[in-house]
């Protein structure tokens, strides 16, 4: 980046009036200052990052602080290099301001401390997004830029007061937002930060306490709000920073996460974890859908997930009988009360498998306190670990358990399931049994596996801790020998070990000896970044989550701070209750609801075709009103015409994308394979996405009832320009 030598404005010929120096000279000067400041900031950040990489890694908190600083500097540097001048979204002029205030993806100041860009998430930037003609929020005018390859290809001015007309404004017959709606879609969500609407911005900036539901139909910008709110909350709410858990963003499926992958980095945030519900459990990658609707219904309840607690408790009963433990020093009586005391040792919330080691340590303490002799602790415990009767009794009363084994036992042992889920009637218990393949996991099993894994913990944790402790002890013993040898060599050479300043004194210090141990080389387990806890969770397409799946998210968010984005009319299995009723049932209580009612994306022509489809099954569906017309009618035809329709459309729309949506795998059905410009998806996998052209294949085969109607409704409303419906006959 270097100071500007040419104009930032690259306006086409038909916009030549906007190139009037009276309109853009102030911007040109400001962009020159931004360019110079960016050049300086990149140089300084590169130097600081290089210095951090060279600095000693340290241990403990020091190492964590260094890693956090490297991450922060790297993310900032990446953002500055990625965007350059197009960090700037626009400018606004307040009634009391002598100079425009420029709004950017990030904040930026020059070397003298002059503010060149205010971060879009800061309070100072709020009027840029929230001002309307009814509520101008103190603004006289606002300008938004459209960037293309680092140059401004268009800009739009809005004037809110008579004074604004005196400030050289280029007024159009359409706003920046309306102009953006006609742009072509791509395989990734396009940048929308510069055209956020006031109703969307108000939800983005709402507080994070409790659960906020963002309810809206197709095209209302729910996904835009969800993503921008993730970035805004991390910036504005110190309770949500990375050290306190950060933010988790949950999307409906992997194509959706690929589609929105660039959005959060473009908003100045790279610290948000993203996943689907499947990703929360290792078995989710290969788990098919449950084929039996009754089994799926029974496993979808929160009560079934809560049965895991009773299933684990069955393996946490202390022995009812005492025993005598024989040692080299004495025979020691271990009573039933002693067992009970040991089993009470783990603190609340300690995972079952990790608690097992704490119980053992408490047993060792109880037995050692009953000895009169002063026995070395390590020697005493070592002998107890070889006491077969003691170890076997503990293993039977509190065994190490694998989550898959525990859940598999529920589906293969009828008596065990009846004990853990007493509300199930005999027929329901039989329905859930699958003795020949109890661990043939489906999507419906994932919440139970997750609950079991969270409650049990990793069976290897205790063994890993022991190996870690042994390795650390061995390192310390080795370093102690090295220090002794150095001290001895120093003494032989005549060094004064008592002067308080020499090598010998330093090496004798406990802190120095500990620092010589390299804990980074000790065996550790890779952390599960999705295990939580998270300070805030954003859930998109939330209407599809079962009560059981909600428990997976509640386990990861003790603060109960959620942004819940969805549309009841798009729930494939029906959603007749209110959001408040659903969320209270699954365990949330502080609930607010914000509605988005304007369809910015889907043309009127498409909505006229889609609305009757959903209203036939759900008369009170929240169908938003479209604000634009494409001028292109919906086309009906035959599947035999598919390839010619696609070829003709793609030739006429060089930058457009199309999607063929069918009830099954449309690729195997002989349709065009997936390409960068043509996708082939089922209705369910099209949720959250948008395309210029959508071609529906035999929509009647999507199914009957609410599920089929929702699939047709969702598929139709993915179209942003044209909808084509083809039938086989």
């Amino acid at each position: 980046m270097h100071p500007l030598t040419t104009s930032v404005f690259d306006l086409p010929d038909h916009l030549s009036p906007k190139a009037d120096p009276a309109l853009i000279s102030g911007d040109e000067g400001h962009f020159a200052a931004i360019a110079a400041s960016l050049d300086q900031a990149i140089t300084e950040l590169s130097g600081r990052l290089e210095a951090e990489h060279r600095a000693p890694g340290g241990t403990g908190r020091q190492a964590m602080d260094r890693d956090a600083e490297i991450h922060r500097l790297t993310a900032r540097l990446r953002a500055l290099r990625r965007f350059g001048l197009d960090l700037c979204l626009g400018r606004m002029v307040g009634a009391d301001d002598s100079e425009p205030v420029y709004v950017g993806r990030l904040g930026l100041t020059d070397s003298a401390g002059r503010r060149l860009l205010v971060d879009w998430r800061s309070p100072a930037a709020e009027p840029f997004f929230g001002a309307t003609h009814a509520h101008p929020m103190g603004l006289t005018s606002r300008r938004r830029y459209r960037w293309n390859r680092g140059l401004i290809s268009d800009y739009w001015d809005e004037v809110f007061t008579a004074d604004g007309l005196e400030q050289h404004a280029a007024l159009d017959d359409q706003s920046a937002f309306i102009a953006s709606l006609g742009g072509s879609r791509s395989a990734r969500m396009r940048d929308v930060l510069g055209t956020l609407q006031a109703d969307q911005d108000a939800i983005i900036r709402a507080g994070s306490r409790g659960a906020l539901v963002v309810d809206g139909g197709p095209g209302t910008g729910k996904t835009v709000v969800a993503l921008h709110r993730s970035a805004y909350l991390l910036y504005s709410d110190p309770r949500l920073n990375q050290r306190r858990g950060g933010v988790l963003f949950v999307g409906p499926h992997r194509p959706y996460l690929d589609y929105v992958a660039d959005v959060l980095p473009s908003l100045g945030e790279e610290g948000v974890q993203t996943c689907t519900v499947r990703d929360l459990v290792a078995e989710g990658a290969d788990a098919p859908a449950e084929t039996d609707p009754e089994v799926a219904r029974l496993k979808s309840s929160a009560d079934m997930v809560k049965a895991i607690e009773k299933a684990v408790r069955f393996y946490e009963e202390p022995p009812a009988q005492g025993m005598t433990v024989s040692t080299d020093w004495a025979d020691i009586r271990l009573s039933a009360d002693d067992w009970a005391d040991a089993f009470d040792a783990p603190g609340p919330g300690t995972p079952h498998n990790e608690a097992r080691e704490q119980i053992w340590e408490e047993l060792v303490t109880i037995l050692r306190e009953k000895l009169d002799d002063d026995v070395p602790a390590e020697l005493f415990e070592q002998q107890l670990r070889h006491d077969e009767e003691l170890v076997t009794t503990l293993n039977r009363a509190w065994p190490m358990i694998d989550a898959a084994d525990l859940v598999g036992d529920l589906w293969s042992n009828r008596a065990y399931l009846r004990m853990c889920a007493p509300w199930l009637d005999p027929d329901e218990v039989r329905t859930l049994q699958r003795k020949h393949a109890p661990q043939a996991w489906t999507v419906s099993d994932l919440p139970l596996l997750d609950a079991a894994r969270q409650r049990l913990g990793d069976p290897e944790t205790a063994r890993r801790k022991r190996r870690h402790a042994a390795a650390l002890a061995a390192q310390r013993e080795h370093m102690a020998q090295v220090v002794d040898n150095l001290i001895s060599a120093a003494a032989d050479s005549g060094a004064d070990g008592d002067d308080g300043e020499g090598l010998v004194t330093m090496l004798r210090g406990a802190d120095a000896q500990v620092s010589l141990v390299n804990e980074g080389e000790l065996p550790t387990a890779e952390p599960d970044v999705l295990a939580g806890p998270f300070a805030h969770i954003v859930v998109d397409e939330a209407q599809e989550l079962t009560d059981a799946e909600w428990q997976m998210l509640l386990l990861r968010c003790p603060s109960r701070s959620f942004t819940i984005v969805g549309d009841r009319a798009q729930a494939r299995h029906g959603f007749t209750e209110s959001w408040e009723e659903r969320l209270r049932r699954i365990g949330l209580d502080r609930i607010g609801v914000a509605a988005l009612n304007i369809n910015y994306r889907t043309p009127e022509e498409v909505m006229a075709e889609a609305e009757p489809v959903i209203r036939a099954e759900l008369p009170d569906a929240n169908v938003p009103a479209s604000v634009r017309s494409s001028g292109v009618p919906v086309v009906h035809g035959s599947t035999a015409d598919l390839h010619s329709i696609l070829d003709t459309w793609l030739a006429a729309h060089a930058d457009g994308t199309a999607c063929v949506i069918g009830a099954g795998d449309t690729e195997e059905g002989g349709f065009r394979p997936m390409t960068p410009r043509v996708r082939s998806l089922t209705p369910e996998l099209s949720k959250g996405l948008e395309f210029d052209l959508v071609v529906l294949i035999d929509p009647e085969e999507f199914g009957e009832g609410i599920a089929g109607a929702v699939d047709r409704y969702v598929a139709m409303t993915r179209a942003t320009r044209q909808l084509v419906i083809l039938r086989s006959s």
Side-chain angles (χ1 to χ4, degrees), residues 635 637-652 660 671-672 693 695 724 726:
V635 174
S638 168
T639 53
D641 301 325
L642 172 63
H643 291 305
S644 63
I645 288 173
L646 283 175
D647 290 340
T648 301
W649 192 89
L650 291 170
V660 179
F671 302 125
R672 182 185 299 268
L693 169 69
V695 181
V724 174
L726 303 181

Side-chain angles (χ1 to χ4, degrees), residues 317-330:
E317 289 294 327
Q321 302 294 325
M323 63 182 295
T324 299
V325 179
S326 297
T327 71
D328 289 344
W329 301 275

Side-chain angles (χ1 to χ4, degrees), residues 208-460:
S208 66
R209 295 187 182 275
L212 175 64
V213 177
V214 183
D215 178 75
T220 54
K222 299 187 302 297
T223 297
V224 167
V225 168
L227 292 164
H228 287 68
R229 183 162 164 78
S230 300
Y232 172 77
L233 290 176
L234 271 178
Y235 172 89
S236 65
D237 193 336
R239 297 180 303 110
L240 307 186
N241 64 36
Q242 292 298 308
R243 288 187 181 175
R244 300 188 182 186
V247 174
L248 175 67
F249 186 97
V250 182
H253 47 70
R254 185 51 55 182
Y256 167 91
L257 294 182
D258 293 339
Y259 179 59
V260 302
D262 288 338
V263 175
L264 285 166
S266 76
L267 301 177
E269 279 301 341
E270 298 186 356
V272 178
Q273 292 290 340
T274 64
C275 72
T276 68
V277 170
R278 281 177 175 266
D279 297 332
L280 299 176
V281 185
E283 293 82 356
D286 301 317
E290 180 62 65
T291 57
D292 187 331
E294 179 63 7
V295 171
R297 183 188 70 81
L298 292 171
K299 292 181 180 179
S300 70
S301 74
D303 285 339
M304 188 59 74
V305 175
K306 292 171 184 174
I308 292 297
E309 176 63 28
K310 196 164 187 178
V312 176
R313 282 287 183 187
F314 178 74
Y315 294 103
E316 295 182 345
E317 289 294 327
Q321 302 294 325
M323 63 182 295
T324 299
V325 179
S326 297
T327 71
D328 289 344
W329 301 275
D331 291 341
I332 311 170
R333 184 64 183 170
L334 190 63
S335 68
D337 288 341
D338 293 331
W339 278 108
D341 290 342
F343 275 42
D344 286 340
T350 305
H352 171 92
N353 291 322
E354 296 175 27
R356 165 71 168 68
E357 190 66 15
Q358 296 179 23
I359 292 169
W360 171 260
E361 292 171 359
E362 186 66 17
L363 284 173
V364 173
T365 299
I366 290 171
L367 289 168
R368 190 159 178 262
E369 287 176 350
K370 293 189 176 187
L371 273 179
D372 292 332
D373 297 335
D374 186 15
V375 180
E378 284 189 26
L379 185 60
F380 184 71
E381 181 178 357
Q382 186 177 14
Q383 186 171 118
L384 291 181
R385 286 194 181 276
H386 288 88
D387 188 312
E388 186 174 342
E389 182 183 4
L390 177 63
V391 172
T392 300
T393 302
L394 176 57
N395 286 341
R396 286 174 179 167
W398 195 294
M400 302 292 278
I401 308 173
D402 180 76
D405 292 337
L406 184 89
V407 179
D409 286 347
L410 290 173
W411 310 147
S412 59
N413 188 318
R414 199 174 295 179
Y416 186 46
L417 179 57
R418 278 199 307 268
M419 182 200 72
C420 298
W423 62 87
L424 296 175
D425 64 37
D427 287 342
E428 291 172 332
V429 170
R430 280 192 294 272
T431 297
L432 290 170
Q433 294 298 287
R434 52 186 191 202
K435 291 189 176 181
H436 299 298
Q439 296 190 17
W441 309 121
T442 69
V443 170
S444 298
D445 291 307
L446 300 182
L448 290 103
L449 284 167
D450 183 61
R453 198 155 283 137
Q454 296 266 346
R455 177 63 176 81
L456 292 168
D458 185 356
E460 289 296 317

